[in-house]
Amino acid sequence: MEKGHGRIERRELRVRSDLAGYSAFPGLAQVAELQKEVVAVATGEITRMTRYLVTSLAADQIDPARLLAVARRHWGIENRWFHVADDSFGEDRQVLHDHDRGQLLGLLRGAALNLLRGTCTLWPDSAPMTARAEWINGHPSAVLVALERL
């Protein structure tokens, strides 16, 4: 059980290896069911969700606690990447009718995100991520200049 960010979370992970060898899923060694219950402290509202995980790691290679930690780290990375792309760069609000231009803008956003997380001459190391994102959003050509210096 964890408490933070105005909520209490409880997770339960059940792991089975029965399907190994019986499933067409390549490399399947274990499947897991993750049940999560979140209680909003302020309102008492309870949200329950179930996710299913698959792994090619056998039970002797990863225990349930480690599997849960790996799954949580995956979603942490996913959330950090897409949250910044969607909120700071307005990626979901872009309407492009040309696939090539969309890919180019996606690559530029990815480069910008990597610049945001690293050391760059465009801002001091102490600048928070949001300030860095706002600056890049206002100066998109600076990303290209910074990339040329690398």
Side-chain angles (χ1 to χ4, degrees):
M1 189 175 302
E2 293 180 12
K3 184 176 181 181
H5 304 285
R7 61 184 181 254
I8 300 170
E9 295 185 14
R10 186 182 66 77
R11 292 175 193 82
E12 182 180 326
L13 185 70
R14 295 187 296 171
V15 184
R16 307 255 333 235
S17 57
D18 301 27
L19 291 177
Y22 292 100
S23 171
F25 201 90
L28 178 70
Q30 296 186 89
V31 295
E33 178 186 70
L34 173 60
Q35 293 183 351
K36 179 176 163 183
E37 181 180 270
V38 180
V39 179
V41 175
T43 64
E45 179 183 351
I46 299 173
T47 305
R48 291 180 182 91
M49 62 184 70
T50 302
R51 287 191 175 137
Y52 296 93
L53 313 169
V54 295
T55 181
S56 60
L57 298 171
D60 61 349
Q61 294 176 299
I62 190 165
D63 64 18
R66 180 75 181 126
L67 182 59
L68 179 59
V70 169
R72 292 192 68 207
R73 189 174 67 227
H74 165 79
W75 286 107
I77 292 167
E78 185 90 2
N79 290 336
R80 279 194 308 276
W81 178 270
F82 290 107
H83 173 74
V84 174
D86 292 343
D87 289 351
S88 299
F89 294 134
E91 189 169 64
D92 288 344
R93 294 185 302 272
Q94 296 290 324
V95 178
L96 295 172
H97 300 286
D98 184 306
H99 180 70
D100 292 337
R101 288 185 183 134
Q103 281 188 314
L104 178 61
L105 280 175
L107 288 171
L108 287 173
R109 284 188 194 101
L113 285 170
N114 286 324
L115 283 171
L116 288 173
R117 290 190 172 94
T119 302
C120 183
T121 59
L122 299 174
W123 48 74
D125 290 344
S126 61
M129 184 71 80
T130 52
R132 295 175 182 197
E134 286 176 14
W135 192 90
I136 285 202
N137 209 23
H139 305 85
S141 61
V143 174
L144 297 173
V145 173
L147 287 173
E148 286 178 359
R149 294 181 191 157
L150 296 177

